[in-house]
Each structure stands twice: as structure tokens, then as C-alpha cells.
């Protein structure tokens, strides 16, 4: 096996997306042959070098798996255990591969979430250059007025940048769809709340051309090759 950059080797081994692997390296959580390495470009060989992440050895490149999950409320998109908080990966207890989510939904948001052990694939999906649309269904306490829709459409300040949704559409009384491409933390919640609406429920129903469909909440299934391709159409 040829040598690879450390961040790329970790992503190939299913540790996390390449960006997340770089963060682990910068945080001093990765060792190579017993030495803490903080340079993602360091060349390593998965077969010859002993690479550990947070004390656990990374064995080799795993068979890549790709899942669609209908995330239930109350679960966190993280692999770090904090107290009794439930993690999305807990739903995959029978899966032997080390899994992680592609991107995140906050604890109270439900819906379409991708779970994998392929860091390269995850990086393709979340990279801003892909400009992949994500569609959310929002149910609110109030009836939605034209003025509210206009305010949401104009955007709001999030993480120091002015963020506007790609599309906002009222479906019926108290229900709207919001399509975004930015991927900022809690951006849909902030956009809708800025419009003067109280959110009762928020669910992601589409990523690219991949739709959640009728998959029950809390259930997951494998992605097909055509579904993977539909993310980038």
C-alpha cells in the first residue's frame, strides 16, 4: 500500500470526513507510531505505521458503506459521548464499521441524514463548491403571512455572514418549505425565527435530488448507486 497524507489516510479508513480528520489532527488527538502528529500532510502507510485516534488504533481501509437515515428528534450528530446524550450512531448499534454523519442536523431537527464511513464521499457532499441544495419542511405555530415570507427570503446574519435562502415557499397554513445551500449551523431555524415565526417542527426532506420518501422516523437503509449519484445532479 502506498503512503498517503495522514488526513487522507484517516478519511479512507472511515474515521471521519477529511475536514473532520484535519481537526482531529490539529487538536493533537492523532498519533503515529506513538508520536502526536499535528500536520495533516504527514505521509503515512496504514499497513506499516501504527496510527491511533484518541487512543484507538486505526486498522485499515474498511469496506465503504452508505446509509440513508430518517433522524428522530433527540439525537446528536457527533461521535463524542457526553453524559447520557443519545448519538445518531447509536441507531447503528449492529453495524461494525466506524460510522459518522455527513454534515449535521441539530438535536431537535428530524429527517434525511446520510451516514457513512467514507470520508472522501462525505467531503464531496459537504464541500461548498458542490453547491448542493437542502430542502426542509417547517411547521410553525402561526399562520404564515406574505410579509413573513418576504423577511425570511431577505435573509439574516449568521456566523458573521449575511445568509439568504435559495427558495422559500408557503405550502399551507402554518407550513412552509425552505431550500438552502450555505450549510451554516442552525441556519434554517435562524432564518425562520428571524421572519417572526415560532417553529413547531423542522425536518429535512431532500439533499440534492435525493429525497427522504416514506422511510419511517428512526429507521435507516442502504443507499443505491443511483441515489448516491442523485446527490450531485
Amino acid at each position: 500500500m502506498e503512503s498517503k497524507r495522514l488526513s487522507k489516510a484517516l478519511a479512507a479508513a472511515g474515521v471521519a470526513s477529511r475536514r473532520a480528520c484535519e481537526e482531529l489532527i490539529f487538536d493533537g488527538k492523532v498519533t503515529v507510531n506513538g508520536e502526536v502528529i499535528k500536520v495533516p500532510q504527514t505521509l503515512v502507510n496504514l499497513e506499516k505505521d501504527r496510527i491511533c485516534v484518541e487512543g484507538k488504533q486505526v486498522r485499515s481501509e474498511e469496506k465503504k458503506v452508505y446509509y440513508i437515515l430518517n433522524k428522530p428528534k433527540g439525537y446528536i450528530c457527533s461521535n463524542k459521548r457526553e453524559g447520557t446524550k443519545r448519538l445518531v450512531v447509536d441507531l447503528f448499534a449492529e453495524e461494525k464499521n466506524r460510522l459518522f454523519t455527513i454534515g449535521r442536523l441539530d438535536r431537535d431537527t428530524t429527517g434525511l441524514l446520510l451516514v457513512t464511513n467514507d470520508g472522501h464521499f462525505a467531503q464531496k457532499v459537504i464541500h461548498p463548491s458542490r453547491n448542493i441544495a437542502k430542502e426542509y419542511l417547517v411547521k410553525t405555530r402561526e399562520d404564515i403571512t406574505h410579509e413573513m415570507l418576504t423577511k425570511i427570503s431577505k435573509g439574516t446574519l449568521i456566523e458573521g455572514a449575511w445568509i439568504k435562502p435559495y427558495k422559500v415557499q408557503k405550502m399551507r397554513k402554518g407550513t412552509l418549505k425552505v431550500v438552502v445551500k450555505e450549510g451554516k449551523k442552525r441556519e434554517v431555524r435562524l432564518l425562520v425565527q428571524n421572519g417572526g415565526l415560532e417553529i413547531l417542527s423542522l425536518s429535512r426532506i431532500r439533499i440534492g435530488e435525493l429525497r427522504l420518501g416514506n422511510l419511517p422516523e428512526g429507521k435507516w437503509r442502504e443507499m443505491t448507486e443511483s441515489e448516491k449519484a442523485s446527490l450531485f445532479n
Side-chain angles (χ1 to χ4, degrees), residues 67-72 77 88 101-106 109-115 125 132-137 202-221 223 227 230-231:
Y67 298 118
I68 294 172
L69 167 71
N70 186 348
K71 176 189 171 295
C77 295
V88 166
T101 63
I102 300 179
R104 298 187 174 190
L105 294 177
D106 65 47
T109 301
T110 63
L112 178 56
L113 187 64
L114 307 181
V115 180
V125 175
I132 297 176
K134 301 171 184 68
E135 184 174 355
Y136 293 78
L137 186 67
L202 175 61
S203 180
R204 184 160 64 189
I205 57 175
R206 177 173 66 85
I207 302 174
E209 294 303 316
L210 176 61
R211 296 184 178 274
L212 178 62
N214 58 4
L215 185 66
E217 192 169 301
K219 300 297 183 181
W220 51 270
R221 63 174 177 81
M223 293 176 65
E227 286 173 331
S230 71
L231 290 166

Side-chain angles (χ1 to χ4, degrees), residues 112-140:
L112 178 56
L113 187 64
L114 307 181
V115 180
T116 187
N117 64 342
D118 186 341
H120 299 314
F121 178 76
Q123 189 69 17
K124 284 176 62 179
V125 175
I126 64 177
H127 199 278
S129 65
R130 293 286 177 173
N131 206 33
I132 297 176
K134 301 171 184 68
E135 184 174 355
Y136 293 78
L137 186 67
V138 188
K139 294 186 178 180
T140 68

Side-chain angles (χ1 to χ4, degrees), residues 157-176:
L157 190 66
I158 302 175
E159 298 178 6
W162 191 262
I163 303 300
K164 296 174 66 176
Y166 180 72
K167 183 179 180 181
V168 180
Q169 180 182 5
K170 180 178 178 179
M171 305 305 295
R172 50 188 176 274
K173 182 179 179 180
T175 303
L176 72 156

Side-chain angles (χ1 to χ4, degrees), residues 47-205:
E47 290 184 349
K48 297 179 181 179
D49 294 311
R50 188 176 190 274
I51 304 171
C52 296
V53 177
E54 297 180 320
K56 295 182 180 180
Q57 186 172 354
V58 177
R59 296 296 179 182
S60 61
E61 296 190 16
E62 299 175 323
K63 175 187 175 183
K64 299 302 183 286
V65 292
Y66 311 86
Y67 298 118
I68 294 172
L69 167 71
N70 186 348
K71 176 189 171 295
K73 189 175 181 179
Y75 284 79
I76 297 173
C77 295
S78 173
N79 285 55
K80 186 177 181 181
R81 182 75 59 184
E82 294 182 1
T84 58
K85 292 180 179 179
R86 295 178 293 179
L87 307 181
V88 166
V89 290
D90 292 339
L91 298 168
F92 296 80
E94 297 179 0
E95 172 59 59
K96 295 180 180 179
N97 292 309
R98 175 170 174 162
L99 301 174
F100 54 89
T101 63
I102 300 179
R104 298 187 174 190
L105 294 177
D106 65 47
R107 181 165 58 181
D108 294 329
T109 301
T110 63
L112 178 56
L113 187 64
L114 307 181
V115 180
T116 187
N117 64 342
D118 186 341
H120 299 314
F121 178 76
Q123 189 69 17
K124 284 176 62 179
V125 175
I126 64 177
H127 199 278
S129 65
R130 293 286 177 173
N131 206 33
I132 297 176
K134 301 171 184 68
E135 184 174 355
Y136 293 78
L137 186 67
V138 188
K139 294 186 178 180
T140 68
R141 188 174 298 279
E142 304 86 359
D143 188 13
I144 303 160
T145 65
H146 176 74
E147 289 73 22
M148 289 172 172
L149 287 176
T150 299
K151 191 170 184 181
I152 295 170
S153 298
K154 287 182 178 178
T156 189
L157 190 66
I158 302 175
E159 298 178 6
W162 191 262
I163 303 300
K164 296 174 66 176
Y166 180 72
K167 183 179 180 181
V168 180
Q169 180 182 5
K170 180 178 178 179
M171 305 305 295
R172 50 188 176 274
K173 182 179 179 180
T175 303
L176 72 156
K177 286 183 179 179
V178 180
V179 180
V180 295
K181 291 188 175 183
E182 294 288 343
K184 297 290 186 183
K185 185 177 180 180
R186 297 176 66 85
E187 70 176 309
V188 176
R189 287 188 181 278
L190 293 172
L191 286 165
V192 174
Q193 289 168 358
N194 184 62
L197 293 167
E198 181 181 347
I199 297 173
L200 295 178
S201 67
L202 175 61
S203 180
R204 184 160 64 189
I205 57 175

